[in-house]
Amino acid sequence: MLQINSSDSHTISLLVANKPGVLLRIALVFSRRGFNIESLVVSPTQDGRFSRMTISANGNPSALEQIVKQCSKLIDVVQALEHSDAEAVECELGLIKVNIEKERRQELLVILDHFKAETIDITQDSVIFRMTGTGLQFDTLMAMLSEFKVAEVVRTGKIVMARGRELT
Amino acid sequence: MSKKSINGAEALIKCLENKGVEYIFGYPGGAAIPIFDALVDSKIKLILTRHEQGATHMADGYARATGKVGVVLVTSGPGATNTVTGIFTAQMDSVPMLVLTGQTITPALGKDAFQEADVFGITAPLVKHSYLVKNPNDIPRVVEESFYIASTGRPGPVLIDLPKDITSAVCTAALTNSEMDLPGYSLPKDPTDAELDAFAAVFKGSKKPLLLIGHGAVISRAAKEVKQLAELLCAPVTTTILAKGIFPEDHELSLGFLGMHGTAYANMAVSECDLIFSIGSRWDDRITPAKIERFCPTAKKLHIDIDPAEINKILVPDASIVGDAKAILKRLIPRLKPLKTQDWIDTVVRNKKRYPLKYKIHGGLHAQHVLSEMNELTNGNAIVTTDVGQHQMWAAQFFNFNLPDRWLTSGGAGTMGFGFPSAIGAQFGCPNDVVVAVVGDGGFQMTECELSTAAIHKLPIKILIIDNKYLGMVRQWQELFYDDRLSGVDLVGNPDFVKLGEAYGIKGFRIKRPADVKRILKRALDYNEGPCIIHAEVVKEGNVFPMIPAGGAASDMVIEAPKRKMEKPQGST
């Protein structure tokens, strides 16, 4: 039976045929019910015939149940499921650029070290670093960065995987 | 070359032949010429329509009347966009249809080439599935998959977009036994015994059960099982408008169809039942209120549907099973026992007698009179198609069927222009049946160009035009809810439909007086050399009752024309 968590924040994992047009059909299901997609990650699985899509969206649970069923109904969708936090691990990657004067750089690096974020570009007045973690960790980091000049944030969006030997 | 090679178009037509396709309803154009060329040497009969929308409704009518997949062939661009309404109509009513669209050559895709439209994109929300073929060797597999998808599970339209360079290129793939590649498509698993036991337990103790039968039961051909179930439980049966005839409408337990313009006694039963069991209906907004908690508030709700996405969509039932109606009923019936329903049956039978559907014979010609006489004369044996509007509701009220597959109407989509072309398709599919197209003066004028198609093939369709010179359903709403401020409903300038028919060489009859109804309908039914038009000029301002204002519950039903002004309804339409 389909499980949908009771909050308004949802992450759905879909196994789909790796074909043109699949994304269009899935996007139509979300837009028809007025759901805004927060993030969307698509990549081929180890079997190249299929792709894995991870979609995060906000909306009420009963509408989401319909959306998951409507996605499952699409011929090109092999499976569509929502995984709860207890059953799945989640991760996302982001690149963050901070414009910063030399004097405060050390202060920033201490924070990044705490979050295990990796510096990948440094100039006289800017730093780009790579952050991996959960959505919550991103939110905490962003709160800490509020006193710096954050120039750009590019996030991949959330991916999830079922815990243990269970398949996603 | 030693062996004659074939191109993609020829492969396509061979595959359609192998699938048993008898007719293709189509309209040509540049990008589809290779496919039309392949049809020259085929045993498949091409029915040239006068508009692509007509082709889709013909295929739809053919599919609904025969249960086979209806096939449409059109060209790219405007040819394909003209099929959109027909695809939507088929999708909403779960009709198996295959739509083949020509497309510009693949190197020109996305470059605004002549008659190039993104047909895959335009139709994506309206189809069960679709393909844009980019390799001629994929054609046999795509056809195999399309028929399977269109006709199994919950049926629906499938579209294949076929670029001209692909249909022109050599196809070397085997044309038979193509292996399907559909890892994401499976039919529901059979329910377990435990599930069926739990479902059956919900019936226990019900004193006022009601069976609500929908189109899913018609598609599943479950008429026999529905009758067994009703008689075993001693439960009255109401149907959706699409399922008319799945249960004999002359049966004591039949309440006819429910909903906005359904019978008073069916809607009363909905208000009063203590258990409602939907078999293949989707609790559509024509039969349930906008505030769903007002629907059968004290009744237990049971639901079987082949489409998992219909479960919990409108309401959360007390129990549900996903699967084919016939297969489930066969296993469910042995688990059920007769219910003690005598008082309930007495009530519903009393309501049937007290609140019958009625109409006037005097004071001008009334549509209901004409339809009721046509029903008497055809005795439930004719295939009746309708358009959309007042005449459709009156036809649903005054035609009675004891068989499914006799009644073809556009329910979910409510497509005006459906009635006449769908009758053409039905007559092709069922050449030995009497086919009556009941149409309004509004809807008929949307697809009347198909008079040529009917005339050329000498199809003996009875085109019964209920002409009140208004777009009557909208006029009725404006009268009842908008202070009679009529806007955009006056069909002044209607043609003389008998003369219009004459221009096509079609026989015409005219009914103006109540006294002529029976005599003229008889003459029309006796005329079988080709189509005929029966132009019934009815009173202009008839209204359809009973009526549940849109969004209202069964208890909000208005049985007869109200004396006081009505409040604007909450529902959308």
Side-chain angles (χ1 to χ4, degrees):
Chain A
M1 201 60 205
L2 189 62
Q3 299 291 323
I4 299 292
N5 83 52
S6 57
S7 77
D8 273 356
S9 168
H10 307 275
T11 304
I12 303 146
S13 180
L14 301 105
L15 185 65
V16 305
N18 185 0
K19 284 183 193 166
V22 179
L23 181 58
L24 166 73
R25 295 184 208 271
I26 290 167
L28 283 170
V29 171
F30 279 81
S31 75
R32 194 169 168 207
R33 291 299 288 255
F35 262 60
N36 186 34
I37 293 177
E38 295 288 323
S39 75
L40 167 68
V41 186
V42 190
S43 56
T45 64
Q46 75 274 30
D47 178 344
R49 293 176 302 154
F50 302 107
S51 292
R52 171 68 61 185
M53 272 189 203
T54 313
I55 299 177
S56 299
N58 289 322
N60 79 62
S62 65
L64 189 88
E65 177 186 340
Q66 267 307 305
I67 286 176
V68 174
K69 283 177 165 179
Q70 296 286 350
C71 286
S72 304
K73 196 168 141 176
L74 296 170
I75 310 290
D76 285 334
V77 173
V78 180
Q79 192 185 54
L81 285 175
E82 180 178 32
H83 294 282
S84 71
D85 295 348
E87 294 167 333
V89 292
E90 64 159 274
C91 175
E92 111 169 74
L93 183 146
L95 296 175
I96 301 170
K97 181 188 290 176
V98 179
N99 292 342
I100 195 160
E101 306 77 45
K102 251 189 287 185
E103 298 72 41
R104 294 194 70 191
R105 194 189 282 152
Q106 201 54 40
E107 188 189 343
L108 176 66
L109 293 178
V110 170
I111 295 171
L112 297 187
D113 189 48
H114 174 80
F115 284 93
K116 300 198 168 57
E118 201 179 343
T119 310
I120 52 177
D121 180 66
I122 292 195
T123 67
Q124 286 298 329
D125 54 3
S126 72
V127 177
I128 299 177
F129 57 93
R130 177 169 58 214
M131 166 76 185
T132 55
T134 63
L136 184 65
Q137 285 167 325
F138 265 88
D139 293 344
T140 319
L141 171 64
M142 293 313 291
M144 292 300 293
L145 294 180
S146 61
E147 52 188 274
F148 297 91
K149 286 185 195 127
V150 176
E152 273 191 299
V153 181
V154 179
R155 289 164 69 163
T156 57
K158 198 198 278 189
I159 53 172
V160 297
M161 184 174 275
R163 291 177 190 272
R165 301 191 99 176
E166 196 76 11
L167 291 177
T168 312
Chain B
M1 247 186 284
S2 57
K3 196 180 155 205
K4 187 181 175 284
S5 66
I6 64 167
N7 66 23
E10 290 159 336
L12 171 73
I13 297 304
K14 285 269 178 259
C15 291
L16 296 179
E17 287 175 358
N18 292 343
K19 284 279 148 201
V21 173
E22 303 170 280
Y23 293 103
I24 290 180
F25 303 94
Y27 203 104
I33 292 177
I35 310 172
F36 280 82
D37 180 65
L39 275 171
V40 172
D41 302 318
S42 172
K43 61 183 179 192
I44 296 175
K45 290 173 226 95
L46 169 66
I47 308 302
L48 174 64
T49 66
R50 291 299 178 269
H51 189 285
E52 291 88 350
Q53 182 185 352
T56 57
H57 295 326
M58 286 178 209
D60 184 318
Y62 173 87
R64 291 189 207 223
T66 63
K68 298 180 205 162
V69 178
V71 183
V72 177
L73 169 61
V74 298
T75 192
S76 62
T81 57
N82 277 344
T83 65
V84 166
T85 302
I87 294 171
F88 168 57
T89 307
Q91 169 79 341
M92 288 294 271
D93 288 348
S94 311
V95 177
M97 184 191 283
L98 179 62
V99 181
L100 308 165
T101 52
Q103 180 56 280
T104 190
I105 54 174
T106 49
L109 283 172
K111 295 182 186 167
D112 303 320
F114 177 65
Q115 292 192 332
E116 186 225 347
D118 175 11
V119 173
F120 184 91
I122 289 166
T123 57
L126 305 175
V127 293
K128 185 168 175 188
H129 196 50
S130 50
Y131 296 88
L132 169 59
V133 181
K134 295 227 176 125
N135 180 340
N137 290 330
D138 288 342
I139 288 174
R141 174 182 55 81
V142 166
V143 171
E144 190 70 30
E145 291 177 2
S146 296
F147 272 82
Y148 182 65
I149 292 167
S151 59
T152 56
R154 180 177 183 172
V158 175
L159 180 137
I160 310 178
D161 205 18
L162 294 149
K164 192 179 179 182
D165 54 333
I166 302 300
T167 50
S168 304
V170 173
C171 171
T172 54
L175 301 184
T176 50
N177 302 322
S178 318
E179 204 170 311
M180 294 193 286
D181 179 23
L182 296 171
Y185 184 67
S186 58
L187 301 177
K189 289 195 195 83
D190 289 335
T192 61
D193 285 333
E195 270 180 90
L196 288 160
D197 290 342
F199 196 87
V202 181
F203 288 84
K204 211 175 156 196
S206 168
K207 293 190 176 71
K208 297 192 280 183
L210 178 64
L211 304 184
L212 161 57
I213 317 296
H215 196 208
V218 176
I219 295 165
S220 159
R221 300 180 183 279
K224 194 177 99 189
E225 288 73 18
V226 166
K227 188 154 179 276
Q228 274 177 8
L229 178 72
E231 289 176 349
L232 170 75
L233 295 175
C234 300
V237 179
T238 183
T239 72
T240 63
I241 195 168
L242 285 184
K244 272 176 71 67
I246 185 74
F247 184 72
E249 292 194 283
D250 62 3
H251 196 291
E252 190 199 21
L253 291 171
S254 169
L255 302 180
F257 77 112
L258 80 164
M260 185 177 276
H261 293 294
T263 66
Y265 36 93
N267 289 328
M268 287 170 176
V270 169
S271 296
E272 293 162 23
C273 65
D274 68 5
L275 178 146
I276 186 162
F277 178 16
S278 163
I279 304 172
S281 114
R282 54 187 174 85
W283 315 108
D284 163 81
D285 68 332
R286 305 292 84 179
I287 63 171
T288 57
K291 289 201 173 87
I292 197 67
E293 58 278 9
R294 296 189 64 210
F295 180 70
C296 306
T298 56
K300 287 185 177 152
K301 289 149 193 110
L302 293 162
H303 191 188
I304 52 184
D305 204 295
I306 200 158
D307 180 357
E310 290 302 340
I311 309 291
N312 297 353
K313 183 177 90 174
I314 302 297
L315 56 78
V316 179
D318 294 270
S320 61
I321 299 180
V322 174
D324 173 66
K326 189 185 184 81
I328 293 172
L329 289 181
K330 273 189 172 168
R331 291 176 62 201
L332 181 66
I333 289 167
R335 291 173 157 82
L336 296 171
K337 292 200 179 74
L339 298 170
K340 292 196 175 104
T341 61
Q342 195 52 54
D343 291 350
W344 173 232
I345 299 300
D346 291 346
T347 306
V348 300
V349 169
R350 195 165 54 238
N351 286 340
K352 273 172 85 166
K353 287 194 182 126
R354 194 177 288 170
Y355 305 103
L357 292 162
K358 53 187 180 188
Y359 62 88
K360 289 186 196 149
I361 297 185
H362 305 293
L365 181 64
H366 292 270
Q368 300 97 313
H369 179 193
V370 179
L371 296 167
S372 188
E373 287 287 2
M374 191 55 136
N375 178 51
E376 295 274 316
L377 292 168
T378 51
N379 199 23
N381 292 316
I383 294 175
V384 177
T385 73
T386 80
D387 236 85
V388 169
Q390 286 185 317
H391 73 278
Q392 176 191 31
M393 295 301 122
W394 284 320
Q397 290 178 342
F398 291 97
F399 274 96
N400 301 308
F401 300 96
N402 294 332
L403 296 167
D405 298 357
R406 301 279 93 181
W407 166 254
L408 318 182
T409 195
S410 168
T415 301
M416 288 175 69
F418 173 83
F420 175 44
S422 64
I424 295 177
Q427 187 77 82
F428 275 116
C430 305
N432 300 319
D433 285 290
V434 176
V435 177
V436 180
V438 178
V439 295
D441 46 322
F444 180 61
Q445 290 185 74
M446 289 189 173
T447 47
E448 68 187 6
C449 55
E450 305 303 343
L451 284 170
S452 295
T453 317
I456 289 163
H457 295 280
K458 295 190 165 36
L459 301 174
I461 299 166
K462 325 299 170 202
I463 308 160
L464 175 53
I465 304 172
I466 304 296
D467 180 9
N468 59 2
K469 299 175 176 59
Y470 269 130
L471 295 172
M473 189 57 94
V474 178
R475 189 206 54 73
Q476 173 171 345
W477 276 55
Q478 291 174 345
E479 178 194 325
L480 296 178
F481 305 120
Y482 290 83
D483 298 322
D484 207 18
R485 286 155 56 88
L486 302 191
S487 178
V489 293
D490 194 350
L491 289 188
V492 62
N494 270 352
D496 177 329
F497 289 106
V498 170
K499 278 193 185 158
L500 179 74
E502 268 170 29
Y504 289 90
I506 287 174
K507 178 91 176 160
F509 301 92
R510 199 186 302 278
I511 310 178
K512 282 188 161 175
R513 298 182 310 151
D516 297 337
V517 172
K518 185 168 253 167
R519 183 176 52 86
I520 292 175
L521 289 181
K522 265 189 183 161
R523 278 175 54 206
L525 285 165
D526 286 341
Y527 175 81
N528 284 309
E529 285 148 52
C532 67
I533 283 176
I534 311 156
H535 184 183
E537 296 185 57
V538 300
V539 295
K540 289 186 74 176
E541 294 178 339
N543 285 339
V544 186
F545 290 103
M547 176 179 196
I548 300 173
S555 53
D556 301 330
M557 178 173 56
V558 181
I559 297 179
E560 286 180 346
K563 302 261 185 313
R564 272 188 283 165
K565 192 179 164 232
M566 295 171 76
E567 270 176 52
K568 271 190 195 154
Q570 301 300 305
S572 64
T573 49

